[in-house]
Amino acid sequence: MRAPILFLLLISLANGGFAQDVKKEIEKYQQMVADSSPVELFELQGEILWAKRQGPNNASLEQCDLGLGAGVLKGAYAQLPRWFKDADRVMDLEARLLHCMGTLQGRSREEASKRVFGNEDQPSEMEYLSAFVASQSRGAAMAPGQAHAKERAAYALGQKLFFFRAGPWDFSCASCHGEEGKRIRMQELPVLSSPAAARPVVATWPAYRVSNSQFKTMQWRINDCFRQMRMPEPAYTSDLTIAIATYLTVNGKGEPYRGPGTKR
Amino acid sequence: MKRALKLGIAALLAACGSMPAVEHHFASEADLLEIQAVLKRDLRVRGSATLARLDADAVQQACNLNGNAPPEPLVKTLEAQQMAAINFPAGSLIGDWKRGESIAQSGRGMQWNDGPKDVAGGSCYNCHQLAPQEASYGTLGPSLLGFGKLRGNSAETQKYAYGRIYNSKAYNLCSQMPRLGHSGTLDEQQIKDLVALLLDPDSPVNK
């Protein structure tokens, strides 16, 4: 619905040819779409799934320990990724939800992660749950774990991965997210190694994407970057993806969470 | 006038291969081994994207180890090797700019969701301004608006444009631009069509 408006707007601005005006108009457009975001519907559906009894144990996720104790939702998302003693592993939200689907609901990893990235017609259970759990951290400062040695190791690995160039197109994360004020097409690119740029990013993911009417998680965001980098596909919630998520989130720490966000 | 001057300066900077300042990250040999092991463990083959893509070549290795600024002698050696591997076709390198424009528009190719029958593009507009009619262009690379107007289309310029698209690393070792010919993304005719988009006087790039 909104895409043609943006298109016309850009065409008219292109004739003026002033990048600053384009930027201002994009910001106006972003504000406009944020005002009519359906994020709340995803949060509500997630809340229903959180309490829904399912799996071989016919149990809900309500006793899931997201790091602040069994069943504590408030502020839990803002402290992820973090190291979990029971798994002896650093986990992000999606890794932890998958863990709870196994331990509480008795579901196999294979079944629970069969369809984690949904589409416009049918969002995934993981997307709904991510929207709900993240929404319960609104206002809390982002404070991912960095006290445990494995948390610090995840950050260090994420940093190395961020700058590592590979694949047929020689890309690293920094190829697109390494220089200030750059765009791909009209999409502005945050320099994710810089706290100033990382803060608003980590404070607004997961997010609803207006251009394709889909709710997207951070695991999806990282996955899709690998696709565009012409690399093979990262395994869902693998240590590699969590290292990158840890690096980004620690770079953006301190920002009050205000998601789930709305993206172009 | 002022705008034309600015574009001219941008094109000149591009010609010198200079890059704006960015954060440099120097990996050690041990870091590279660790990262390779992690990638091989946690990445999965999908579609055309196989794990063989993770094997680093000498250019990637040199750029990763040296924060994208290897010592000059190594740069010269590797750039010469990359240059020697470019297959320059004989004769005119100027194809059809109209086909070039659609190749420049297309972001397909080499992604795991691209089918074997999908024709690859150059993703040019993702990073460069080209035809003035296309308002949605990226800025990771220099603007190429007026590229041929500024340089003419002599045999030497054709060769430079062809080579730069085929393998940007032959000119600027740690360039962020993909090696579109060297990687097998674009074929000879497609690169000629892109050269036409840049150099043909009838191309909108030069209007």
Side-chain angles (χ1 to χ4, degrees):
Chain A
M1 271 303 279
R2 302 283 172 123
I5 300 173
L6 177 63
F7 180 71
L8 287 173
L9 205 135
L10 293 176
I11 291 294
S12 66
L13 282 165
N15 295 329
F18 298 106
Q20 212 43 40
D21 287 354
V22 174
K23 199 178 165 196
K24 222 185 277 170
E25 288 304 323
I26 290 173
E27 278 163 9
K28 214 192 281 173
Y29 169 76
Q30 284 168 339
Q31 186 56 45
M32 199 165 78
V33 294
D35 290 345
S36 59
S37 171
V39 158
E40 217 174 306
L41 300 175
F42 284 84
E43 294 172 16
L44 287 170
Q45 188 61 33
E47 188 171 9
I48 292 168
L49 287 169
W50 178 256
K52 184 182 173 188
R53 293 168 176 274
Q54 54 177 335
N57 298 350
N58 194 33
S60 76
L61 292 170
E62 288 162 307
Q63 288 305 303
C64 182
D65 181 354
L66 295 164
L68 302 181
V72 179
L73 281 161
K74 199 151 184 55
Y77 175 71
Q79 296 192 27
L80 294 171
R82 68 189 295 160
W83 175 77
F84 285 87
K85 192 175 182 188
D86 56 9
D88 189 24
R89 219 194 132 198
V90 178
M91 292 171 146
D92 65 359
L93 173 60
E94 290 162 83
R96 192 60 187 174
L97 286 171
L98 212 48
H99 174 87
C100 288
M101 288 171 186
T103 54
L104 297 175
Q105 299 181 318
R107 297 161 68 184
S108 72
R109 191 189 151 84
E110 196 195 355
E111 179 272 323
S113 62
K114 198 166 182 173
R115 188 176 176 279
V116 284
F117 303 143
N119 56 30
E120 182 178 355
D121 296 330
Q122 200 189 348
S124 76
E125 178 187 15
M126 195 58 84
E127 287 157 353
Y128 285 130
L129 286 169
S130 298
F132 169 60
V133 175
S135 75
Q136 300 302 299
S137 280
R138 271 199 287 269
M142 294 302 286
Q146 279 293 279
H148 193 273
K150 289 199 175 178
E151 293 168 341
R152 291 193 296 272
Y155 179 88
L157 176 61
Q159 183 176 42
K160 289 175 201 172
L161 286 163
F162 188 84
F163 291 98
F164 182 75
R165 301 180 68 177
W169 282 21
D170 313 313
F171 283 163
S172 71
C173 303
S175 299
C176 293
H177 296 286
E179 217 183 313
E180 226 170 290
K182 299 290 179 180
R183 310 189 310 249
I184 287 181
R185 293 279 184 162
M186 295 313 285
Q187 177 64 49
E188 287 187 51
L189 302 161
V191 180
L192 295 169
S193 48
S194 132
R199 286 172 69 122
V201 172
V202 301
T204 52
W205 277 88
Y208 180 77
R209 252 190 155 181
V210 179
S211 55
N212 59 11
S213 312
Q214 295 180 32
F215 191 87
K216 297 298 191 187
T217 67
M218 184 47 87
Q219 279 286 328
W220 173 85
R221 181 58 275 177
I222 293 169
N223 177 285
D224 208 52
C225 279
F226 273 80
R227 178 181 66 82
Q228 291 170 301
M229 290 163 74
R230 274 70 186 174
M231 299 278 277
E233 183 174 31
Y236 186 67
T237 67
S238 56
D239 287 345
L240 170 138
T241 60
I242 288 167
I244 293 172
T246 300
Y247 176 66
L248 302 181
T249 313
V250 171
N251 287 342
K253 73 180 179 207
E255 187 82 355
Y257 186 69
R258 54 178 181 273
T262 302
K263 310 280 176 185
R264 57 128 183 124
Chain B
M1 262 325 273
K2 210 171 164 189
R3 183 178 158 83
L5 185 67
K6 264 192 202 159
L7 291 170
I9 291 168
L12 279 172
L13 283 174
C16 302
S18 76
M19 306 259 295
V22 290
E23 184 177 337
H24 289 261
H25 192 83
F26 296 76
S28 68
E29 301 264 4
D31 289 338
L32 296 191
L33 289 174
E34 180 197 1
I35 296 165
Q36 286 285 359
V38 168
L39 292 172
K40 291 219 157 123
R41 183 194 66 204
D42 287 350
L43 296 185
R44 306 280 180 269
V45 54
R46 182 165 169 189
S48 64
T50 64
L51 295 190
R53 291 190 177 183
L54 303 175
D55 297 331
D57 77 345
V59 173
Q60 291 176 345
Q61 196 78 0
C63 297
N64 281 327
L65 284 172
N66 296 287
N68 288 318
E72 206 48 30
L74 180 58
V75 168
K76 290 286 162 241
T77 307
L78 291 174
E79 282 180 356
Q81 282 172 14
Q82 297 291 301
M83 188 67 84
I86 301 178
N87 300 313
F88 287 103
S92 169
L93 299 177
I94 299 187
D96 177 342
W97 68 261
K98 285 181 188 149
R99 284 200 308 248
E101 167 67 12
S102 60
I103 295 164
Q105 289 283 359
S106 168
R108 286 226 164 275
M110 292 266 170
Q111 301 165 117
W112 66 59
N113 61 325
D114 294 323
K117 284 183 185 161
D118 285 327
V119 178
S123 292
C124 310
Y125 280 105
N126 281 4
C127 300
H128 297 283
Q129 182 180 28
L130 287 146
Q133 290 84 353
E134 179 52 88
S136 174
Y137 60 85
T139 56
L140 282 163
S143 169
L144 302 173
L145 183 65
F147 188 91
K149 213 175 182 178
L150 194 77
R151 297 157 173 269
N153 58 6
S154 66
E156 200 185 337
T157 303
Q158 291 176 33
K159 198 177 169 192
Y160 170 70
Y162 187 94
R164 191 84 203 208
I165 298 166
Y166 190 98
N167 187 347
S168 189
K169 271 74 174 178
Y171 302 80
N172 173 9
L173 192 68
C174 298
S175 160
Q176 292 294 343
M177 179 166 155
R179 295 174 273 184
L180 292 166
H182 185 86
S183 62
T185 306
L186 300 180
D187 64 23
E188 183 182 310
Q189 187 57 50
Q190 287 177 302
I191 299 177
K192 283 181 175 176
D193 293 338
L194 287 176
V195 171
L197 182 65
L198 289 174
L199 298 183
D200 192 319
D202 291 334
S203 160
V205 168
N206 300 315
K207 288 291 173 193

